[in-house]
Structures are given as structure tokens and as C-alpha cells.
Amino acid sequence: MPPGRCVPRAAPFCADMAEIAVVDPGARIVDRWEGWGCSLSWWAVCSAHWPESARAEACRRLFSRTSDALGLSICRYNAGGTAPTADPAPYRPGGRVLAMLDRDGSWRPERDAAQISCLRLARRSGANRFELFVNSPPWWMLRSGSTRGGDGGGENLEPGHERDYAEWLAETAARLECEADVRFGSVAPFNEPSAWWWNGATSGQEGCRVSWPAQARVVRHLNEALRRRGVRAVAACSDENGAHEAYNTLDWLTRPEGGALRAHAIGRLNVHAYHGWEWQERLRDLSAARGVPAVWMSEVTYREWGEPAYVPNDMRCALPVSRSIVGDVRRLGCRGWVYWQPVEPLSFSLTYRYTYGFLQAAVDVGVPWGGRIYGPGDCVVARSFHVMMQFSRFVLPGFRVVRSGDDWTLAAHSPSGDRLVLVAHHDGEGPRELRYDLRRFARAGETAAAWRTQNDDASGAWACRAIPALPVRGGTLEVTLPPRSVTTYRIDDMRLTPEMSVDAGQK
């Protein structure tokens, strides 16, 4: 903080006004958290215009465990299907992702060198779970010949190419594992395949509508193709836009009279979280009933609340992220939560007056903003970056997510059970009094370390800032959440009861 300034004293806690949240370590929402993540498209393709140092810095800020980084562990690589001769004009920046595996079997990784570089940098920085995903099959397998979509938004995968597409996916994954020295844990062959907006005449990005019967055939062939090549990845699908579409798709794919996919043919359910949140619990239950081993929330992005504006330093661009995280994890029981595009073009943000992404970077030319010129790869760090940090730096892979007793608090404890993390989202205009009841643990630590992200004020910057620790008295933690804030509380020296121990009830 600036010299001579002090942190203002918090308003006194008012017990009569406090809401009570009973944290229950025996009520597990997620048995083993797998991680937080992001996708490389389309920003990593755009990084072809950046200095190597800028590309390395962006990957460091996203994937490393240094104090100013997010420490994301999941990285999704976008294998493109676009022809090298395709006109770049209709595609958004970075959206023209070229196929590296040609129809004749030749391998051309130089066509996607920048994204491959980011994949390597992500691994070196600390990412350890990798997924290959595809927005459209390669152009020569499509009815329209365009990876931006079918005629009129119709189905675009040419009938009879389902096996060819599965073989192309498996071979691309195998080649890329060698090229980038990574191991893919999953391959996701579809992206919002039920959507109507994949129209070759109007879309600015890769996308393909794929019918349910065609999806079932691709998944069946994909599992076989991966096994033959020794790629230890599962098929993840179907990455529908929202939980309602995902429910209908999964239901059909796994019904005997539908796609008749057997248990574990779908190694993980991937679903986006743009809408249909009221269906998330039903989707979770269906997934478990049909034998799907895991769920990821694999894509979402949000712009600022309120009037359109580029407000990177304002909580208006950050609170939609924390609200989504707490709700998605609680309702879906997902093991991973993956943000879509963490780095957005700064020129887009200024032109269209929105705040997408954790970082905004100039793509290929200098962009003036805030009294300076941002060169290619120079990034603005948005407040949403530091809200994401409240989750990704404290709820770590291997943790168990448990019932917090509060709709807007995410609770998790470490694998040994000796550390409890509470991340509280509060988007109200006034303070909120909350009392966490920790007495369902055998023992609670005496203090709670705390960090907070909110709008800056006279006391200085509030970017995941450490604040004074709070006492835990009689198994109770009493907190006051400021308006429009996200706060993390970490309590060490916790103890589980024997029936709630890490080994008890292990699946």
C-alpha cells in the first residue's frame, strides 16, 4: 500500500444481524478437485504477433504458482480444422485455426506454432492436465467446406466421415503429444454441437453442428482410435452451450434406444455454463446415473455487469466470474472449472465497450489506452484476474469441496483434512454479516488468514490483498463481507472426525 496509509478498521461484527452457515465436511460436493483452467484459443493463436517474451509472460501469469499468477492447472488446446488457403477476413482475431494434419496424412505443426509454443509454456509453468478440443472437423470432411458452419446453420459433418474424423482426432492428439511433450487426458470432439449459430455465411469463428446419431458414432470410433495409438485420453463430450441442451444430448447418447453408448464410453461430461443453470443439478444427477465418471464446466466467459463499458479495474467485470464459479461448482458438482479465453484483444474491448477476459492485450499493432501505448502482447490486468486468484490460489487440486451452508460461499478442505478454505462472493451494495459454524469438524484452528479483492479505495489496491487474520472462537468464524467483494478465509490446524476422515467412504 502507499506509504503513510493504513488499512481501515472493519465495521464491528453484529451478531444479531449475522446469517449462519454450517460448514459440513461430511457433505461432499466434489470428492477430488481436479483444477481450474483456461483455453488457449484464440489468444494463443494471436500471440504469433507477439514477442516471445510477451507470450512467456502471459503463460506465466496464467499457469505458474508465483505470487502474482493464477496457478491454473488445466489447459485446453484447440486443434483447428481450417484450410491454409481460407480467407482470414471472415474470422475474428485468432479464430482462423489451421489444420496441422492434412488429408494426405502430412503433419504441418508450423501452421499453429504460436499455440503450440503456449502449450509448451503452460506445461513448463505448471499446468498438468491437458485437453485437446475441436470446434470443427477439418474442412474436407464438411458439407459446406467451411469450418465456420453449415449452410443456414445446418448439420455440417458429411455423413460417412464419422470414423475418418475420429481417426484424424486420435492421430492429431498422438502427433501433438510428441510435438509439445504433453499428455492429453481427454479429447473433446465437439463444441456446442446443437447450436444453430454455426452458419458459414455469418459466423466469425470455427463451429459445426453435429447431430446426436453422428456424435454417438464419432465417440465410439474415437475411443477405438485412441486405444490403437496408445493415447491415454478419454472422450469428453459434448460441450453443449448450457445445461439444458447438455441434459438432452447426454440422455439420448446413453439411452439404449438412442445412441446406446455404454458406461465410460464418455469418459467425462463437458458442459458450458452460459445459460440453463436451473438444469445443472439435473444434469449432474443424470451424468452420475448413466455412469459418466466426471464432470467439468469446460467453458464460460462473462462481460461486465451494468452499462456497457471497458472497466478493467472495476468489480463489475469480476463479480460475474465469482458468482458463476460458486454456483456452477455447487450445482454441477464439477471436478474442474475452465474459463474460456483469458486474454482478450484490447482493441475489441475498447471498440465494443466490454470487459471480457482476465487480461486484455494488443494483438498486432499498438493500442493507446490509459495514457500509454500497449504494444503487441502488452497486457492490462483486469480485476477479474484477481477474483479468479481468490479461488485458484487457495482451492487446490486434490481438495474436497463440501457443503458450506451458504449459497455464495465455496468451501473446500485439503486432502489431509487439516486446512479449510472458504471463498465468499458478495455482490450486494451493503455489508453482509456471516457466521461460519465449524463445529462439525472435530477441531477448528484458532485463526483464519484472509485475502480480499474489491474496488480500490483510499487505503490502496485490493487485488487479492492480505488482510488481518480473524479469530475462530468456539468453532465459529464471524465475518463482515464488504459490498461487492470476494474474500478468502484459510483456517489451518483443522481436524476431521473419524467417520469423515480422508479414507472413510473413499470411492
Side-chain angles (χ1 to χ4, degrees), residues 212-213 216-217 220 251-262:
W212 290 340
R217 290 190 290 270
R220 200 170 281 112
D251 182 43
W252 192 92
L253 290 177
T254 54
R255 266 193 282 128
E257 65 273 24
L261 290 178
R262 291 179 293 178

Side-chain angles (χ1 to χ4, degrees), residues 278-315:
E278 69 279 8
W279 280 80
Q280 287 181 324
E281 290 169 315
R282 279 177 279 188
L283 177 61
R284 174 200 65 201
D285 294 343
L286 177 68
S287 177
R290 299 291 169 86
V292 178
V295 178
W296 275 7
M297 197 301 295
S298 56
E299 181 189 317
V300 79
T301 188
Y302 286 105
R303 58 179 297 167
E304 75 290 342
W305 281 338
E307 293 298 318
Y310 178 50
V311 287
N313 295 323
D314 196 297
M315 288 297 285

Side-chain angles (χ1 to χ4, degrees), residues 316-333:
R316 282 184 289 164
C317 77
L319 289 169
V321 175
S322 53
R323 187 182 183 92
S324 176
I325 289 173
V326 176
D328 294 339
V329 175
R330 179 170 56 84
R331 292 185 296 262
L332 276 171

Side-chain angles (χ1 to χ4, degrees), residues 241-243 271-278 280 297 299-306 309-312 314-329 331-332 337-344 349 353-360 382-385 387-388 408 425:
N241 185 260
V271 61
H272 302 175
Y274 291 106
H275 62 87
W277 307 284
E278 69 279 8
Q280 287 181 324
M297 197 301 295
E299 181 189 317
V300 79
T301 188
Y302 286 105
R303 58 179 297 167
E304 75 290 342
W305 281 338
Y310 178 50
V311 287
D314 196 297
M315 288 297 285
R316 282 184 289 164
C317 77
L319 289 169
V321 175
S322 53
R323 187 182 183 92
S324 176
I325 289 173
V326 176
D328 294 339
V329 175
R331 292 185 296 262
L332 276 171
W337 193 93
V338 183
Y339 194 77
W340 170 227
Q341 181 161 252
V343 187
E344 281 282 345
S349 295
R353 300 181 65 226
Y354 58 49
T355 315
Y356 281 121
F358 302 141
L359 309 169
Q360 293 83 41
R383 190 59 45 119
S384 55
F385 179 94
V387 156
M388 185 72 242
W408 298 115
H425 159 97

